[in-house]
Amino acid sequence: MEADILDGKAIAATMKGEIVAEVAVFKEKFGWVPGIAVVQVGADPASSRYVKQIGKSFEEAGMTFRLETLDESTGQDEVVRLVQSLNADRAVNGIIVQMPLPKHISQDVIASTISPAKDVDGINPVNAGYLLAGAGSYFAPATPSGGMEILHRSGVEIAGKRAVIVGRSNIVGKPMACLLLHEHATVTICHSRTKDLAAVAREADILVAAIGKARMITADFIKPGAAVIDFGINVVDGKVVGDVDFEGAKGVAGAITPVPGGTGPMTNIVLMRNTLRAANEAAELK
Ligand code: NDP
């Protein structure tokens, strides 16, 4: 039997409808609308395309979008000053700084400059710390949060299940591990030094790929019936493919996210949801 397709595009469309309705209620209640600011240093074409998509999503949802572009040669202090001014700007509820930054700018310095209350992609160490502790009110990174939303909305059981995550980056693999752990999965994190990766992966009821290697996870890595979440975005012969060999995997998995149309469309939606939440929290403080 073929796997159920975990249709992130459809889930994102449903969530967008929910957000549009919530933004309308917010506007009615407070007389202003939530907004995000994106800081882009340099003009990387892939980054520019992504930023354009964020802008479109926010504007379609009735929220404001502000793009701050800085020249590639801009110094770190100037980027810090810009982020500080956005922290202080009451019209801005969410702040994203496009990564990677040019080499002369420290990602750590910029991440810790973003106010935790506006850090809608969860990169400030304060948010990362709360996520690790599973305590307090925090923003988790948008991409793994989107993966969790797919699992929730598709009825995939998490508590008590074995979850294996391939990839340990701070923006996808590690936060995904924390989110699954907080929902009582038994979690294993794998990486490039993991021995016999296929055998470890085959233990998973929930297998997560966050590697950046096209179609690396083949059918023999998958336990029959497992739910497979593929975060990979790789371009092969002009086509976007995941880290999972979708065609082979769908014959073994119980459920699987396609690429494109799986985890990808969820990231923007989570950014919108987080910005709306940040705006609600700011409005309550005013
Ligand atoms: P990173 O390059 O930061 O991390 C990749 C991870 O994969 C590392 O932990 C690395 O291990 C591990 N890895 C690499 N090769 C192997 C291997 N042969 N066997 C086992 N593990 C391996 O990537 P990101 O986490 O930033 O991104 C992962 C994927 O997700 C990419 O395809 C990226 O494009 C995509 N992505 C998708 C987003 C979305 O919106 N859906 C958003 C962000 C990213 P080690 O630590 O040992 O080097």
Side-chain angles (χ1 to χ4, degrees), residues 39 41 72 79 97-107 110:
V39 177
V41 186
E72 178 91 27
V79 182
V97 179
Q98 274 298 99
M99 305 285 174
L101 287 160
K103 286 205 168 50
H104 63 277
I105 302 176
S106 154
Q107 300 203 5
I110 301 304

Side-chain angles (χ1 to χ4, degrees), residues 36-37 50 54 58 93-99 111 114-125 127-128 131 138-146 170-172 175 266-268 270-272 274-275 278:
I36 194 165
Y50 177 58
I54 300 179
F58 272 74
N93 306 108
I95 301 171
I96 301 225
V97 179
Q98 274 298 99
M99 305 285 174
I114 300 172
S115 161
K118 296 189 179 189
D119 174 32
V120 288
D121 202 13
I123 66 166
N124 183 297
N127 278 315
L131 169 63
Y138 56 84
F139 289 111
T143 296
S145 300
N170 288 330
I171 58 157
V172 194
M266 295 297 293
T267 298
N268 274 358
V270 174
L271 290 176
M272 289 198 282
N274 286 353
T275 302

